[in-house]
Amino acid sequence: MRVISAVTFVSLVGYTLAAYPTQTNNLYNALNTCTVKTQSDIDCITTVRDGLDKLADYIQKVRNLKTNMGRLNSGLDTFNAVVGIAKYAPAIGSAITALKSTITAIRPTFNSAYARVKTIDAKIYPWKNDVNNGKIACNQAISHLNRLKTVCTNGKNYVNSARNCVNSMTAGSVKTSLGNFMESMGGAMYTTTNSLNTALGNIGSSCAAIKALTNIALGWPDIDFIDVSISGVYASLQPILDFFASLQVALDARLCIPNPLDALENLRELEILEEIAEGLNPGNWGWKRRRALSSQKRNAVKISEEKANSYLSLEKRGDICFSAQDILDGIDAIFSALVDLANKAIQAVLNALPSFSLPGMPNFANLFSLNINFNLPTIDFSLDLPLFDLVFNFNFGCAVDVKNACSAVSGAVSFDCGNAYGKRSLISEASLTKRKMTDAENLETEVEKRRIDSKHMTEAEALAAMQHLTEEQLQKLSEIMQQKHG
């Protein structure tokens, strides 16, 4: 069995010795810091995301409230514009008067709250896209940080387990060799991990500044009840407005009767026609007319041709029509028959009277206590993803091998511990075997080069070992197999 010293072995694999366990402890502390900082950053960004969620909901709620208050505002304006026609329905006069007084009383408070809602909406609605993009940025950052935390936590545990095992070993070359493996891994990983912690600190500072603003949104008061109340007021007002609309339709309806003047005109027309006939052909008069005029001079009933033509151009007036409102406002007594028609039209509307009352307005105080005196920044945590990727690819196989070899005081450290990404090296593969000695202080390490020999391996082990051979080694293996098996 070939035995070489630990110093000789380390020189073979190119490791640089360091005072154990400086680099190992540095790496452990850096990984522990990474675990703490990633969790702190995750907590901060989660709070920011919660604030953005609240802000996104608020943006939509304020927009909805603005819409509903605008609708109610238009309804109140419409009520004031049409309430005057209630005089045509005296039965509702007292109810309408009371409602108008209520609306007049609440209008100043409502107008003030509506103006405040419009101010809030103008401030926060433009943030909508930035808020949505910020939520995406938060989710992505949390995903990366959770993955990073897993790597650092697992790495810390691997390093600590191996470190504690080596520290508990009896002093000697085995302990020194395994300690040096750990130091090599620590040196390979520490610088990158330390840089990562600096980046995590920058994320924390950036997040803290953003959180100070999004926390304002988290403290915003409830406004849901305001929107519900406004919707309730509008729901009560709408039937009243519908009633007035129907009443106006009834008032605008055109009611017609035959023109009573036409009856008088018909009598006049007959006389004119008789005079026309007399002027044109006196011989055709009726016997009564001739007899009546026999004692009069003939020149007393003559009519000119021009006047006759004028009379022939007379037109009848036809039916006379008024709106119900015109009728109820008062018309000439000659048209009094229309009043009954107008009253019947109004009564048809009055048969479906709504309730002329409104629920009370909500307390608008929360709208005025809402703090909007800030600007939302772009949500960007400036994650150093290339640096994250380096840590994501860390391989702690060296620490696992050291722990296994330490526990058994034998076995192989098959990883290139000086490479943070755990590439295997045939040169570094060695077995550490404990020699039975009575004096623990004289414990020495026997480093035996691991032989790739099928008589010590199963077929599966041999195939696995082939994965690490170079082209030149594979060629030699082929030659050996030809020699052995012809």
Side-chain angles (χ1 to χ4, degrees):
M1 180 179 293
R2 184 178 179 184
V3 180
I4 61 174
S5 69
V7 174
T8 303
F9 174 75
V10 171
S11 66
L12 283 174
V13 296
Y15 293 146
T16 301
L17 292 176
Y20 180 77
T22 302
Q23 297 289 2
T24 305
N25 287 344
N26 286 344
L27 177 59
Y28 173 81
N29 292 334
L31 290 170
N32 186 61
T33 299
C34 170
T35 301
V36 172
K37 284 192 171 184
T38 50
Q39 185 58 58
S40 177
D41 289 348
I42 289 170
D43 291 342
C44 180
I45 294 174
T46 299
T47 302
V48 168
R49 184 182 62 187
D50 292 343
L52 293 174
D53 283 337
K54 176 72 173 287
L55 191 51
D57 289 343
Y58 229 87
I59 287 172
Q60 191 57 53
K61 287 178 180 179
V62 169
R63 176 51 62 97
N64 292 343
L65 180 57
K66 176 188 171 184
T67 299
N68 287 336
M69 292 187 78
R71 185 175 59 172
L72 178 57
N73 184 65
S74 297
L76 295 176
D77 287 344
T78 300
F79 176 84
N80 287 333
V82 303
V83 69
I85 65 175
K87 70 179 183 179
Y88 300 109
I92 63 171
S94 58
I96 292 299
T97 300
L99 179 59
K100 184 177 180 181
S101 297
T102 299
I103 291 177
T104 300
I106 67 174
R107 197 62 190 270
T109 301
F110 173 82
N111 289 347
S112 178
Y114 183 36
R116 175 62 175 170
V117 167
K118 288 191 287 186
T119 298
I120 296 171
D121 181 74
K123 176 72 174 184
I124 69 176
Y125 194 79
W127 295 349
K128 184 175 182 178
N129 289 337
D130 288 339
V131 167
N132 290 335
N133 291 335
K135 290 167 61 178
I136 293 173
C138 286
N139 288 332
Q140 291 174 341
I142 291 171
S143 177
H144 287 305
L145 289 169
N146 273 320
R147 183 181 174 191
L148 196 60
K149 179 188 173 186
T150 299
V151 172
C152 290
T153 301
N154 290 341
K156 177 188 73 171
N157 292 336
Y158 289 137
V159 170
N160 193 48
S161 179
R163 179 183 66 167
N164 289 342
C165 183
V166 173
N167 283 343
S168 67
M169 293 180 74
T170 302
S173 56
V174 172
K175 178 176 182 176
T176 300
S177 296
L178 293 179
N180 285 335
F181 281 127
M182 292 296 295
E183 287 293 273
S184 295
M185 184 181 70
M189 292 184 175
Y190 172 72
T191 300
T192 300
T193 307
N194 192 51
S195 297
L196 173 67
N197 287 334
T198 300
L200 292 175
N202 293 335
I203 293 173
S205 298
S206 174
C207 180
I210 298 172
K211 186 175 74 170
L213 298 177
T214 55
N215 276 353
I216 296 175
L218 284 175
W220 281 350
D222 175 43
I223 61 170
D224 287 347
F225 73 95
I226 298 177
D227 193 36
V228 171
S229 181
I230 290 296
S231 296
V233 174
Y234 182 78
S236 297
L237 179 63
Q238 186 59 55
I240 299 173
L241 298 180
D242 291 342
F243 166 77
F244 279 112
S246 298
L247 181 58
Q248 188 62 65
V249 169
L251 291 172
D252 290 340
R254 302 292 289 175
L255 303 176
C256 302
I257 58 172
N259 191 336
L261 296 179
D262 278 346
L264 299 176
E265 192 59 45
N266 287 340
L267 295 176
R268 175 62 179 156
E269 180 182 17
L270 179 59
E271 292 182 359
I272 292 172
L273 290 175
E274 287 182 350
E275 290 199 14
I276 292 173
E278 181 181 323
L280 296 176
N281 189 2
N284 291 333
W285 295 358
W287 68 272
K288 290 182 180 181
R289 179 68 171 167
R290 288 196 303 271
R291 187 175 182 181
L293 295 177
S294 61
S295 61
Q296 299 180 16
K297 293 183 178 179
R298 190 170 296 274
N299 59 2
V301 294
K302 288 185 177 179
I303 184 171
S304 68
E305 184 176 354
E306 180 180 356
K307 187 175 181 180
N309 290 334
S310 173
Y311 288 143
L312 286 174
S313 67
L314 288 175
E315 296 179 1
K316 288 189 177 181
R317 293 174 177 79
D319 290 348
I320 186 166
C321 300
F322 295 95
S323 71
Q325 188 168 348
D326 292 335
I327 296 167
L328 296 177
D329 280 340
I331 57 174
D332 193 279
I334 195 172
F335 303 114
S336 58
L338 288 172
V339 175
D340 290 338
L341 294 177
N343 284 329
K344 289 179 181 179
I346 301 304
Q347 187 59 47
V349 178
L350 295 179
N351 287 336
L353 283 176
S355 172
F356 293 103
S357 63
L358 297 179
M361 286 288 180
N363 186 338
F364 295 112
N366 282 356
L367 294 174
F368 295 92
S369 65
L370 194 151
N371 179 9
I372 57 172
N373 296 321
F374 66 95
N375 293 313
L376 187 71
T378 299
I379 310 300
D380 182 6
F381 302 105
S382 300
L383 303 184
D384 190 343
L385 295 182
L387 181 59
F388 281 22
D389 285 338
L390 291 177
V391 178
F392 289 155
N393 289 313
F394 274 177
N395 191 322
F396 294 94
C398 175
V400 174
D401 278 2
V402 167
K403 172 61 179 4
N404 291 337
C406 172
S407 297
V409 200
S410 65
V413 178
S414 58
F415 277 81
D416 179 358
C417 294
N419 189 320
Y421 309 104
K423 294 181 179 178
R424 293 180 178 273
S425 171
L426 286 175
I427 298 178
S428 69
E429 290 183 356
S431 297
L432 300 175
T433 305
K434 178 180 178 182
R435 297 179 63 184
K436 293 181 180 180
M437 294 186 176
T438 58
D439 188 356
E441 293 183 355
N442 293 327
L443 182 65
E444 295 180 355
T445 303
E446 293 182 355
V447 181
E448 180 182 4
K449 293 183 68 177
R450 188 174 184 178
R451 297 190 306 158
I452 314 255
D453 192 333
S454 61
K455 68 181 179 181
H456 296 298
M457 296 184 179
T458 64
E459 181 178 355
E461 291 174 334
L463 291 173
M466 287 177 62
Q467 303 301 315
H468 307 291
L469 299 180
T470 64
E471 290 293 332
E472 183 178 354
Q473 290 169 332
L474 288 171
Q475 181 62 37
K476 289 182 179 180
L477 176 62
S478 177
E479 293 172 358
I480 293 172
M481 292 180 66
Q482 289 180 356
Q483 292 173 4
K484 287 181 175 290
H485 304 290

